[in-house]
């Protein structure tokens, strides 16, 4: 599905330069459920941003289904991102002035879906994550776990092929974290590819495959014997 070839990322702040990724080669296959682990500052989020085409590498190649998208114009990349990828972040990243329903409707608007279809689809998604009774709530009126489930519903709005989740349970107590993990696993069982950063070894082992990043380098890439169950 995605092949990254010799990806380098240099953050150039003038006097300070950070070599965040140093030649990453990585293939994500359709149907994968991958956990990405590694110390703080090792480059995990940088890698997720590049994989999700939220950021571009300093050098290297990005192939999506064998098609080189490395140098496509931003507009094209935004279209690919909205159509194929769903994002979940540690800090939920919901729009504070929009209700749960409006937050989930938003990406459908970018995709050109009509208002009534957007509303129906968003209601359906919120019901799926167990928030049918919280549609009109603003993010500040919801618990962390509820906010993250809204974020999951929003990530699913355009039927993504790939879910990119950067520490999706990082700000949640462990029982609420489990709910998010269960949703991600169910999605993967339905065929959605999931790539997730986590600091939690137990969560990491639940994935089918674990990649370790250390100091901008791919340190290990292993299948988990008990993953994906
Ligand atoms: N926008 C930026 N500008 C400059 N340096 C950055 C930027 N973003 C990240 N870095 C640096 O790049 C390195 C990798 O950061 P990254 O956020 O990818 O780490 P991480 O593995 O996700 O860490 P954590 O587990 O703490 O989230 C760090 O040294 C960080 O300080
Ligand atoms: Mg990070």
């Amino acid at each position: 599905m995605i092949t990254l070839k010799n990806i380098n990322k240099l953050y150039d702040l003038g006097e300070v330069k950070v070599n965040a990724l140093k030649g990453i080669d990585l293939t994500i296959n359709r149907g994968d459920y991958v956990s990405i682990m590694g110390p703080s500052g090792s480059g995990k989020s940088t890698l997720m941003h590049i994989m999700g085409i939220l950021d571009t590498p300093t050098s290297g190649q990005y192939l999506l289904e064998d098609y080189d998208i490395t140098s496509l114009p931003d507009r094209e990349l935004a279209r690919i991102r909205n159509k194929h990828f769903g994002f979940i972040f540690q800090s939920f990243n919901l729009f504070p002035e929009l209700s749960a329903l409006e937050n989930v409707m938003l990406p459908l608007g970018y995709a050109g879906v009509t208002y009534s279809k957007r509303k129906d689809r968003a209601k359906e998604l919120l019901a799926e994550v167990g928030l049918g009774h919280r549609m009109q709530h603003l993010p500040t009126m919801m618990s962390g776990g509820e906010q993250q489930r809204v974020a999951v519903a929003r990530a699913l709005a355009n039927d993504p092929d790939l879910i990119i989740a950067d520490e999706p349970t990082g700000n949640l107590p462990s029982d609420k974290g489990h709910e998010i993990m269960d949703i991600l696993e169910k999605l993967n069982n339905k065929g959605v590819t999931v790539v997730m950063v986590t600091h939690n070894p137990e969560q990491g082992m639940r994935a089918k495959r674990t990649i370790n990043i250390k100091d901008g380098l791919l340190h290990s890439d292993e299948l988990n014997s008990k993953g994906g169950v």
Side-chain angles (χ1 to χ4, degrees), residues 39-41 43-46 48-49 90 166-167 197 199:
S40 178
K44 304 179 299 295
S45 293
T46 302
M48 298 299 267
H49 286 138
Q90 178 175 4
D166 195 349
E167 298 190 50
V197 172
H199 281 287

Side-chain angles (χ1 to χ4, degrees), residues 75-135:
R75 261 188 52 155
E76 265 307 291
L77 294 177
R79 195 191 59 80
I80 292 173
R81 198 164 57 226
N82 195 44
K83 183 157 185 261
H84 296 287
F85 301 161
F87 296 91
I88 306 167
F89 301 99
Q90 178 175 4
S91 50
F92 321 140
N93 290 18
L94 299 174
F95 285 93
E97 72 282 14
L98 298 182
S99 68
L101 188 67
E102 288 163 340
N103 264 288
V104 179
M105 286 171 70
L106 210 60
L108 292 158
Y110 298 144
V113 179
T114 63
Y115 180 83
S116 71
K117 282 203 179 136
R118 289 207 301 273
K119 201 164 177 178
D120 289 349
R121 174 83 179 126
K123 280 184 181 171
E124 191 183 297
L125 286 162
L126 283 168
E128 261 176 50
V129 296
L131 287 176
H133 59 314
R134 292 286 184 269
M135 310 245 187

Side-chain angles (χ1 to χ4, degrees), residues 6-10 50 55-62 70:
N6 197 17
I7 293 289
N8 289 278
K9 180 68 182 182
L10 180 73
I50 288 174
D55 198 1
T56 48
T58 310
S59 65
Q61 229 185 353
Y62 186 133
T70 318

Side-chain angles (χ1 to χ4, degrees), residues 87-94 99-101 103-105 107 121-135 137 139 141-157 163 167-169 171-184 186-187:
F87 296 91
I88 306 167
F89 301 99
Q90 178 175 4
S91 50
F92 321 140
N93 290 18
L94 299 174
S99 68
L101 188 67
N103 264 288
V104 179
M105 286 171 70
R121 174 83 179 126
K123 280 184 181 171
E124 191 183 297
L125 286 162
L126 283 168
E128 261 176 50
V129 296
L131 287 176
H133 59 314
R134 292 286 184 269
M135 310 245 187
H137 273 54
M141 300 168 181
M142 285 182 283
S143 70
E146 288 174 341
Q147 289 183 58
Q148 194 60 307
R149 279 183 283 149
V150 174
V152 171
R154 181 181 61 180
L156 296 177
I163 293 280
E167 298 190 50
T169 70
N171 279 332
L172 301 177
S174 68
D175 56 329
K176 300 299 167 193
H178 277 302
E179 288 177 12
I180 299 296
M181 292 299 297
D182 289 346
I183 295 174
L184 290 179
K186 256 190 220 151
L187 284 168

